[in-house]
Amino acid sequence: MKKDIILSGVGGQGILSIATIIGDAATRAGLNLKQAEVHGMSQRGGEVESGLRLSDTEIHSDLVPLGAADIILSMEPMEALRYLPFLHEGGFVVTSSSPFRNIDPYPEEAVRAALAGLDRVIALDLDAITRANAIPQSANVVLLGAAAGIIGILSPEQLRESIRNIFAAKGERVVEMNLKAFETGREYGGRQ
């Protein structure tokens, strides 16, 4: 079994933290893992993309080929659309519907319409969800939770264990907040 995942967003949104959690879970599960990261021109506000390739067999390249991604997991809706050429037919887009307005004018209506036209999309208003659940620093982990059932090659429990492992150094309060965020995302993702 293999999964190719494109993670995208804007600098500072936690894309690389999602990649770290998935990578830790894959390593602990004994899977083969390849990761390629692209950072934008600026650390905050610039494009960030990470390609993750997970497999129980050997992986020869760290780059996700065009038309091969099983999932696009994006913290920013326009960035999700940017990577659609990488998605294979039948793949999923799991994205925030909350735009990060780093350009003026931001084409919000066009982005919403494009997402609405996709067959397999989970679009979450992460701003509203994190406010309502008092987890403002964990929007990225909410998004990961929404995608957990789609990832498939890793179980939700393996991802939970990696959340515990990755955030342990920041203290139990941070671990618990991120586990709550993960479960909140699972609820919004329909626990596929």
Side-chain angles (χ1 to χ4, degrees), residues 23-105:
D24 181 77
T27 301
R28 289 169 176 272
L31 295 172
N32 292 299
L33 165 72
K34 297 276 186 179
Q35 180 178 359
E37 296 175 4
V38 175
H39 300 272
M41 293 289 288
S42 62
Q43 192 167 6
R44 289 220 175 255
E47 170 192 0
V48 176
E49 181 263 336
S50 182
L52 290 172
R53 306 192 78 199
L54 314 172
S55 180
D56 55 8
T57 60
E58 189 176 1
I59 303 168
H60 298 286
S61 173
D62 57 349
L63 299 176
V64 176
L66 286 172
D70 299 291
I71 305 167
I72 294 173
L73 188 59
S74 184
M75 288 294 296
E76 207 290 322
M78 190 163 58
E79 292 299 325
L81 296 175
R82 179 191 309 264
Y83 291 96
L84 284 180
F86 287 89
L87 193 65
H88 73 67
E89 189 174 321
F92 279 86
V93 174
V94 181
T95 185
S96 172
S97 63
S98 310
F100 184 93
R101 291 176 177 84
N102 58 350
I103 61 169
D104 189 31

Side-chain angles (χ1 to χ4, degrees), residues 13-14 18 75 95-99 123-146 177-188:
Q13 289 186 309
I18 295 172
M75 288 294 296
T95 185
S96 172
S97 63
S98 310
L124 305 176
D125 183 344
L126 290 178
D127 291 346
I129 292 168
T130 56
R131 266 193 317 274
N133 290 280
I135 46 175
Q137 301 293 316
S138 300
N140 59 336
V141 181
V142 172
L143 195 71
L144 176 60
M177 179 179 63
N178 282 286
L179 289 171
K180 177 182 177 181
F182 182 78
E183 293 308 319
T184 300
R186 297 255 303 136
E187 291 170 17
Y188 282 93

